[in-house]
Amino acid sequence: MTNRVELKPGVIYFPQLLDRAAQESLRDEIYAAIHSAKLFQSTMPRWGNPMSVKMLNLGPVGWVSDKSGYRYQATHPVTGQNWPRIFPSLLKIWDTLTDNYAAPEACLINYYSATAKMGLHQDRDEEDFNAPVVSLSLGDTALFRIGTSERTGPTQSIKLQSGDGLIFGGPARLDFHGIDRIYKETSTLLNEGGRFNLTLRRVTKPHL
Ligand code: SIN
Ligand code: MN
């Protein structure tokens, strides 16, 4: 079993959950998905200014953000196509880390260039908060920060490296979190540099 470090109740860090071979095969699956479905540029609600990360989703629904707000929807906002399926390799990781919780319905793929960041936010557009969010990192190291369910609560920071896993659930499910910076050229996994982060989410409440 892989290393499991509880950073605080509900936040579990799995350093090097994926070995290099697993990272390479996940990377190649991501490249194939992007080749067919294309990353899109999200914008912030209200003002519509572009986010610095580029996104794609896998699964029956995907998270999107535009002038009218945040939501899950079944189709790609640019092409109108359904999202690609969640890879079986990801479903397996989800089952292991969530102890076989009902299958995830969305996998958000964020691509960070060396200058991209993500401001502190909560993941709360899901109906079901019983499942944790499962996060996987590939490529350059990132400085991840997580606080409490209040925007101004104390935060702790951790560097997420290529192959690392992290889950936040239970008492930490609604904690504010974000990416303060990317450490350029810290990984050789991605030819173009930068970082992919994948977050697997259960969106609807599971049927009994
Ligand atoms: C996110 O909160 O959607 C992404 C977090 C990360 O990039 O590690
Ligand atoms: Mn998030």
Side-chain angles (χ1 to χ4, degrees):
M1 186 49 187
T2 64
N3 233 339
R4 180 184 191 281
V5 183
E6 185 171 334
L7 299 178
K8 64 174 180 166
V11 184
I12 323 281
Y13 171 51
F14 300 90
Q16 295 305 287
L17 178 70
L18 306 176
D19 65 16
R20 178 76 187 202
Q23 293 172 42
E24 288 175 357
S25 73
L26 183 53
R27 172 200 63 193
D28 292 344
E29 289 181 294
I30 293 170
Y31 284 155
I34 288 173
H35 184 76
S36 67
K38 307 286 183 260
L39 292 165
F40 64 95
Q41 178 76 64
S42 270
T43 54
M44 298 292 284
R46 267 200 297 260
W47 304 110
N49 32 345
M51 295 190 176
S52 60
V53 299
K54 294 208 164 54
M55 299 181 170
L56 178 64
N57 287 274
L58 309 174
V61 291
W63 187 87
V64 298
S65 166
D66 59 23
K67 275 190 171 176
S68 54
Y70 305 126
R71 64 189 172 277
Y72 281 94
Q73 66 179 42
T75 54
H76 190 293
V78 178
T79 65
Q81 302 282 310
N82 289 329
W83 305 106
R85 285 170 197 279
I86 300 179
F87 318 138
S89 57
L90 293 172
L91 297 174
K92 230 170 112 184
I93 294 169
W94 169 272
D95 284 346
T96 307
L97 299 190
T98 67
D99 204 9
N100 298 300
Y101 197 88
E105 294 160 304
C107 175
L108 174 62
I109 301 175
N110 286 322
Y111 175 70
Y112 296 77
S113 64
T115 55
K117 305 170 196 282
M118 185 172 291
L120 282 182
H121 66 276
Q122 292 171 295
D123 288 2
R124 52 166 215 196
D125 300 311
E126 302 73 31
E127 287 168 20
D128 182 31
F129 295 139
N130 290 319
V133 173
V134 171
S135 148
L136 300 171
S137 295
L138 292 178
D140 287 340
T141 300
L143 188 60
F144 175 79
R145 189 145 61 97
I146 186 157
T148 69
S149 60
E150 287 177 33
R151 182 175 283 282
T152 53
T155 62
Q156 55 185 308
S157 293
I158 176 172
K159 284 185 183 172
L160 295 178
Q161 297 184 344
S162 195
D164 287 351
L166 181 107
I167 65 177
F168 52 97
R173 177 62 181 76
L174 292 174
D175 284 359
F176 279 86
H177 59 277
I179 294 292
D180 289 330
R181 62 168 293 195
I182 301 295
Y183 296 90
K184 203 176 165 180
E185 291 167 15
T186 45
S187 164
T188 55
L189 188 72
L190 310 181
N191 293 333
E192 71 282 27
R195 169 178 185 257
F196 284 112
N197 175 259
L198 279 62
T199 43
L200 291 154
R201 297 113 184 265
R202 177 75 199 183
V203 178
T204 64
K205 291 197 161 83
H207 308 288
L208 290 176

